[in-house]
């Protein structure tokens, strides 16, 4: 089981990142912290296999922490997850050896690519004493098929248990929504169970047609709400 530490000061974003981790088979979160001080405290308790690290944090930035982490000879793999999109930040992160860089907002599909890249890296650096060019190229020359497939308008196959007919009804219900919507909104509009509706909405979220976020209510647990990502109609054209 891969141990993951999430370093994110926004509770909502941290929750979404943890949900993504929990959907990744063989991974679990051992700590979710919001400051660099808390990171160092957590590292005294357990060393993770992977750190998901934000750049903008109170007190000390993720880049400053990353530099200190390397100076102290920690070789923990790091995936940067941040709203920072300037080339300088990206360049510095790569110089400090991050294995991937995700710019918010991102889809679960892109997150899974980062996790797959990490697993290749982990396998190469922990279970092999020697390698060959082909194996090394798989790590260094990353062909992100899911991302390029979306750009080429290739239809993503439906996951097992989902039907094209029901998905079409879900898409019709989504078209009628004038604001961000919940699973309950879709379920009630097409007389589908909330569990089934959630599966279809999650698939649309995974392929990049929808984006999701947690909405905090004054009473009770937060709910997941969705909205359509602009200019992504090509991702669902064959479903309609």
């Amino acid at each position: 089981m891969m141990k993951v530490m999430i370093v994110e000061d926004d509770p909502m974003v941290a929750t979404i990142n943890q949900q993504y981790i929990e959907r990744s088979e063989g991974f679990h979160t051992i700590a979710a912290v919001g400051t660099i001080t808390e990171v160092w405290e957590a590292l005294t308790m357990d060393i993770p296999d992977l750190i998901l690290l934000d750049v903008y944090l109170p007190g000390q930035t993720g880049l400053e922490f990353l530099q200190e982490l390397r100076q102290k000879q920690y070789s923990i793999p790091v995936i940067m997850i941040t709203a920072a999109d300037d080339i300088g930040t990206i360049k510095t992160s790569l110089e400090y050896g991050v294995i991937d860089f995700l710019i918010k907002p991102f889809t679960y599909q892109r997150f899974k690519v980062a996790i797959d890249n990490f697993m290749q890296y982990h396998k190469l650096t922990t279970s092999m004493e020697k390698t060959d060019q082909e194996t090394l190229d798989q790590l260094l020359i990353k062909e992100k098929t899911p991302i390029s497939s979306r750009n080429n308008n290739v239809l993503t196959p439906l996951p097992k248990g989902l039907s094209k007919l029901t998905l079409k009804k879900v898409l019709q219900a989504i078209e009628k929504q004038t604001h961000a919507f919940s699973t309950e909104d879709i379920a009630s509009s097409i007389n589908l169970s909330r569990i089934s509706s959630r599966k279809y909405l999650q698939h649309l979220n995974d392929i990049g047609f929808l984006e999701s976020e947690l909405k905090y209510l004054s009473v009770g647990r937060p709910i997941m709400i969705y909205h359509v990502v602009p200019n992504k109609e090509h991702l669902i054209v064959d479903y309609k």
Side-chain angles (χ1 to χ4, degrees):
M1 187 70 71
M2 295 289 104
K3 300 179 294 185
V4 181
M5 180 185 295
I6 298 172
V7 186
E8 169 62 63
D9 64 323
D10 186 325
M12 183 178 71
V13 176
T15 298
I16 293 174
N17 291 344
Q18 185 166 351
Q19 290 176 343
Y20 281 176
I21 285 295
E22 291 171 354
R23 290 176 59 189
S24 304
E25 185 177 356
F27 288 77
H28 77 285
T29 304
I30 61 168
V33 298
T35 68
I36 299 305
T37 299
E38 292 174 324
V39 177
W40 289 117
E41 292 175 353
L43 287 176
T44 65
M45 305 295 293
D46 199 359
I47 301 297
D49 298 297
L50 173 66
I51 295 177
L52 306 183
L53 179 64
D54 191 15
V55 169
Y56 299 125
L57 296 164
Q60 186 180 9
T61 69
L63 286 180
E64 291 170 333
F65 163 73
L66 188 56
Q67 181 181 23
E68 190 175 355
L69 188 74
R70 298 314 184 210
Q71 289 174 343
K72 292 185 176 181
Q73 303 299 308
Y74 283 92
S75 59
I76 307 169
V78 173
I79 295 175
M80 301 297 286
I81 297 182
T82 179
D85 57 0
D86 61 282
I87 295 301
T89 297
I90 296 172
K91 180 175 181 291
T92 302
S93 299
L94 294 174
E95 289 172 347
Y96 288 145
V98 300
I99 62 174
D100 212 333
F101 196 107
L102 302 181
I103 299 176
K104 304 172 186 175
F106 53 88
T107 65
Y108 173 74
Q109 187 180 30
R110 179 61 182 89
F111 180 86
K112 188 176 185 303
V113 170
I115 291 297
D116 290 343
N117 289 342
F118 161 72
M119 286 305 299
Q120 285 185 318
Y121 172 86
H122 180 78
K123 180 179 179 180
L124 182 66
T125 57
T126 62
S127 63
M128 302 174 63
E129 293 185 358
K130 295 183 179 181
T131 186
D132 53 37
Q133 189 66 56
E134 181 179 359
T135 302
L136 193 58
D137 286 348
Q138 290 177 5
L139 175 65
L140 300 179
I141 307 176
K142 303 180 181 70
E143 297 183 1
K144 296 177 174 56
T145 303
I147 304 301
S148 61
S149 294
R150 284 187 286 161
N151 293 336
N152 293 329
N153 297 347
V154 176
L155 179 64
T156 303
L158 284 178
K160 184 178 180 180
L162 303 189
S163 75
K164 187 174 180 179
L165 179 60
T166 303
L167 179 57
K168 183 177 180 179
K169 294 180 180 179
V170 171
L171 289 169
Q172 290 172 344
I174 290 174
E175 288 180 349
K176 298 177 182 178
Q177 306 300 313
T178 57
H179 301 90
F181 52 90
S182 66
T183 300
E184 179 64 34
D185 293 330
I186 301 302
S188 60
S189 66
I190 60 176
N191 195 28
L192 188 66
S193 72
R194 283 179 293 180
I195 293 176
S196 295
S197 298
R198 186 180 300 112
K199 291 179 180 179
Y200 285 93
L201 293 178
Q202 190 58 62
H203 171 66
L204 294 172
N205 185 79
D206 289 348
I207 66 174
F209 177 69
L210 297 180
E211 282 188 350
S212 61
E213 61 179 296
L214 284 176
K215 180 179 181 180
Y216 287 85
L217 307 176
S218 56
V219 178
R221 300 177 61 183
I223 63 172
M224 189 70 74
I225 60 172
Y226 301 86
H227 66 268
V228 176
V229 180
N231 303 317
K232 296 295 183 179
E233 287 290 326
H234 64 279
L235 297 174
I236 49 92
V237 65
D238 288 336
Y239 293 140
K240 302 180 69 176

